[in-house]
Amino acid sequence: MRHAWWRGYLLVLLAAATGYVLMPVGGSREWLAMLVGGTVPVAILAGLAMHRPVRRTPWFVLCTAEAALLASKIAVRVEPPAGTSGGPPLHGQLFVLAYLLMTVGLIMVARPGVHRNPTILLDGLVVTVGASVATWVFLMAPTSADQSLPMVTKVVLIACPMLDIALMTVAVPVVYGSRNRPAALRLLLVWLGGQLIVDAATTTLALNGHDPLATPLTGGWLAAAGFLGAAALHPSSTVSIDRRLGGAPDRVGRQLPVLVTAGLLAPVVLAVTTARMGHGEITVIAVATTVTVALVLVRIGWLVRLITRAQSRLTASETMLTESQRLAQVGSWSWDLTTGVMTWSPQFYELLGLDPDTPASFERFIESVHPDDRMDRVDRVQQALDGWRPTRERFRVVRADGETRLMHAEVAPLADANGRQTRIVGTAQDVTSSDQAQRQVEELAAIVQYSHDAVFRVTPTGLVTRWNAGAERLFGYRADEVTGRSAGMLLPPAVLNDPGSWHLSISSDLPDGGRPIEGLETVILCKDGRSLQVAMTVSPIWDGNRAGRYTGAAVIVRD
């Protein structure tokens, strides 16, 4: 149900704004606007009560700003005409207060993003300077020079664009500093854009002698305000909007057109102004300056595009390296000897079982090394420094969770262009599982080698490749006498020519998925010519598992 509130409210406000535009000019229409506009602060408070955002203060400030703006519009209709009260009009004071509060609210939203990424503040200043020049020349200067306007009216008309510029300065970090914009932030940006458009149109009409109250602009204000109320009612307002700011890399491709436009505003305004005044030489200079600045900005855009592509490739390479290290259980580290700064890869943190926020240092690494291996590890690093040569070794680490793991490490010193040693780099790989597997293989090999039974291995074509001590005792052949020869040499002629003989099944039945031959009683031929009655087991050997490649058979013979 809560997900439908913001949609319903926005539709009602947009319908009310449309109705305002279609109604005839009169008191009823204006009081309808006041009634509908009064629902915006109520909607913000309702959203705060329903969703309880992480940070409420910006919403309270924006709510107060909308209330002040509504009060200023009411004051326009109820206070005495300008100049009769002996002081600044109340609606002007409330208007200025409302925009100051809007600016403060947006600053509270954008501040964390500016702190994390100061470049978005520079973008805001570029846009502000360009907009300020155009606003001063076409809006503020004509107002200041108009002798027919009362001083109070001049102050209000000049304050409007100044406050809009302040809003624009704060809005740029909000627009470009956001990483993954939640719906509440998108609705907030639509409100801000509509507010600026309505204000610019209002000031322009006032400067040209038109009464803004007699135009449909209030309907635009209502429509824009509806998006602010919908933003507060949206469920995504529970997420702190400022946490979505400043964390993403610069969106240069999206920012550049805006920055180029802002950068060209000043020379374009200069060219238009001098052309109006009839100064031909200055106009030519201004146009040439505009073209030059445009070309320079285009060239910068190409450079930015190349840098962005290179950065994308670098990011892809880093991602691939990180994933490769994760799959191979390899971590890397680098130690800058000039600054003493040490950096670890994400997988190196994982190998040590440490939180990625843990500061990387040689001392912290040594703390993770097993106490019995620490001194040797320090000596190895020193040897790499003194001997200027790579070293490799194995040592144990005790992870943060208490588990002991075996690492294979390699360390190499690096030098700068002058041959001065400036950095040490290294890698570490968790070889605990492979070491345990190797130990098991060695133990099994020892068991087979010294078993009393005769054990040997043959290829799919029947050639002997392994021959243990038990086979030497039973058959009388040394390993070098049978390795590479056919196992048929071990069979008497009568058995050798038997189609069902075990040595023929090695290349026929077993590769086709046949079951191992167990408890087979047969006759073998020894080196001295004796025939022995033996029990035999023949088992297929697969590469990896049953679904792998057939590589031969293991034969166990017992007298």
Side-chain angles (χ1 to χ4, degrees), residues 206-279:
L207 289 176
N208 288 276
H210 300 287
D211 183 8
L213 297 178
T215 67
L217 287 178
T218 300
W221 168 70
L222 291 176
F227 285 92
L228 175 58
L233 290 171
H234 197 280
S236 64
S237 64
T238 56
V239 180
S240 180
I241 291 178
D242 56 22
R243 291 186 179 181
R244 302 296 184 99
L245 301 177
D250 293 338
R251 293 179 173 85
V252 179
R254 301 179 185 179
Q255 297 174 5
L256 196 59
V258 177
L259 297 178
V260 168
T261 302
L264 291 174
L265 276 177
V268 167
V269 169
L270 177 61
V272 172
T273 304
T274 53
R276 286 181 175 179
M277 299 174 62
H279 300 296

Side-chain angles (χ1 to χ4, degrees), residues 117-394:
N117 188 0
T119 59
I120 60 179
L121 177 60
L122 296 178
D123 295 345
L125 294 177
V126 171
V127 174
T128 300
V129 171
S132 298
V133 172
T135 302
W136 171 258
V137 172
F138 296 115
L139 295 178
M140 298 169 66
T143 302
S144 177
D146 191 346
Q147 301 298 326
S148 63
L149 294 176
M151 182 57 64
V152 173
T153 303
K154 287 185 179 182
V155 171
V156 173
L157 291 177
I158 292 176
C160 288
M162 291 179 63
L163 293 171
D164 284 339
I165 290 173
L167 280 177
M168 187 181 301
T169 304
V170 181
V172 171
V174 176
V175 173
Y176 287 126
S178 53
R179 181 170 63 244
N180 298 316
R181 298 172 184 164
L185 180 57
R186 293 196 294 268
L187 292 169
L188 195 66
L189 293 177
V190 173
W191 158 73
L192 182 59
Q195 191 76 39
L196 293 175
I197 292 173
V198 170
D199 289 344
T202 301
T203 304
T204 303
L205 289 175
L207 289 176
N208 288 276
H210 300 287
D211 183 8
L213 297 178
T215 67
L217 287 178
T218 300
W221 168 70
L222 291 176
F227 285 92
L228 175 58
L233 290 171
H234 197 280
S236 64
S237 64
T238 56
V239 180
S240 180
I241 291 178
D242 56 22
R243 291 186 179 181
R244 302 296 184 99
L245 301 177
D250 293 338
R251 293 179 173 85
V252 179
R254 301 179 185 179
Q255 297 174 5
L256 196 59
V258 177
L259 297 178
V260 168
T261 302
L264 291 174
L265 276 177
V268 167
V269 169
L270 177 61
V272 172
T273 304
T274 53
R276 286 181 175 179
M277 299 174 62
H279 300 296
E281 298 83 356
I282 300 179
T283 302
V284 172
I285 296 174
V287 171
T289 303
T290 302
V291 174
T292 303
V293 171
L295 293 175
V296 170
L297 291 175
V298 171
R299 184 68 181 95
I300 292 175
W302 287 344
L303 292 176
V304 168
R305 181 177 299 179
L306 293 176
I307 294 173
T308 303
R309 290 178 179 175
Q311 195 171 30
S312 299
R313 289 194 295 268
L314 178 61
T315 301
S317 299
E318 290 177 347
T319 302
M320 184 180 298
L321 176 60
T322 299
E323 185 64 15
S324 300
Q325 288 188 350
R326 185 186 67 82
L327 295 175
Q329 290 188 310
V330 176
S332 59
W333 55 270
S334 176
W335 190 6
D336 191 328
L337 300 178
T338 59
T339 63
V341 175
M342 198 174 200
T343 56
W344 296 345
S345 70
Q347 187 60 29
F348 194 79
Y349 279 100
E350 179 65 25
L351 292 177
L352 301 182
L354 296 175
D355 188 276
D357 294 332
T358 303
S361 66
F362 184 71
E363 292 76 13
R364 184 64 188 86
F365 165 64
I366 292 299
E367 290 178 5
S368 299
V369 178
H370 193 280
D372 295 341
D373 298 344
R374 286 178 185 171
M375 291 306 301
D376 183 64
R377 184 65 185 145
V378 174
D379 293 340
R380 290 285 186 175
V381 175
Q382 190 62 46
Q383 289 175 13
L385 289 173
D386 296 340
W388 200 301
R389 65 179 183 276
T391 63
R392 60 180 60 183
E393 62 170 330
R394 291 193 173 192

Side-chain angles (χ1 to χ4, degrees), residues 301-550:
W302 287 344
L303 292 176
V304 168
R305 181 177 299 179
L306 293 176
I307 294 173
T308 303
R309 290 178 179 175
Q311 195 171 30
S312 299
R313 289 194 295 268
L314 178 61
T315 301
S317 299
E318 290 177 347
T319 302
M320 184 180 298
L321 176 60
T322 299
E323 185 64 15
S324 300
Q325 288 188 350
R326 185 186 67 82
L327 295 175
Q329 290 188 310
V330 176
S332 59
W333 55 270
S334 176
W335 190 6
D336 191 328
L337 300 178
T338 59
T339 63
V341 175
M342 198 174 200
T343 56
W344 296 345
S345 70
Q347 187 60 29
F348 194 79
Y349 279 100
E350 179 65 25
L351 292 177
L352 301 182
L354 296 175
D355 188 276
D357 294 332
T358 303
S361 66
F362 184 71
E363 292 76 13
R364 184 64 188 86
F365 165 64
I366 292 299
E367 290 178 5
S368 299
V369 178
H370 193 280
D372 295 341
D373 298 344
R374 286 178 185 171
M375 291 306 301
D376 183 64
R377 184 65 185 145
V378 174
D379 293 340
R380 290 285 186 175
V381 175
Q382 190 62 46
Q383 289 175 13
L385 289 173
D386 296 340
W388 200 301
R389 65 179 183 276
T391 63
R392 60 180 60 183
E393 62 170 330
R394 291 193 173 192
F395 60 93
R396 293 166 294 172
V397 299
V398 181
R399 288 167 45 90
D401 56 10
E403 183 182 5
T404 300
R405 308 291 292 181
L406 181 65
M407 300 290 169
H408 173 81
E410 298 195 13
V411 180
L414 300 179
D416 59 12
N418 298 323
R420 185 168 57 94
Q421 200 174 70
T422 59
R423 186 180 297 273
I424 301 179
V425 296
T427 61
Q429 182 179 18
D430 189 339
V431 294
T432 306
S433 299
S434 60
D435 181 74
Q436 292 173 349
Q438 180 63 29
R439 290 176 183 271
Q440 293 174 356
V441 169
E442 293 174 354
E443 292 174 359
L444 183 60
I447 293 173
V448 171
Q449 179 64 26
Y450 299 107
S451 172
H452 181 74
D453 295 335
V455 181
F456 59 93
R457 176 177 176 174
V458 294
T459 66
T461 58
L463 300 180
V464 177
T465 58
R466 294 288 187 273
W467 188 263
N468 79 335
E472 290 185 356
R473 288 191 298 269
L474 184 62
F475 292 99
Y477 291 102
R478 298 190 312 273
D480 61 319
E481 292 178 308
V482 295
T483 301
R485 299 179 64 182
S486 172
M489 64 179 289
L490 306 176
L491 303 178
V495 178
L496 181 64
N497 297 325
D498 183 358
S501 175
W502 63 269
H503 85 285
L504 295 178
S505 67
I506 293 174
S507 58
S508 59
D509 296 337
L510 293 182
D512 295 333
R515 298 176 62 84
I517 303 173
E518 299 179 352
L520 173 66
E521 293 186 359
T522 185
V523 178
I524 62 170
L525 185 64
C526 298
K527 181 179 180 180
D528 58 7
R530 293 179 297 114
S531 295
L532 293 179
Q533 190 77 21
V534 296
M536 180 179 294
T537 298
V538 183
S539 301
I541 300 175
W542 305 93
D543 185 9
N545 51 57
R546 183 76 176 176
R549 182 174 58 90
Y550 174 70

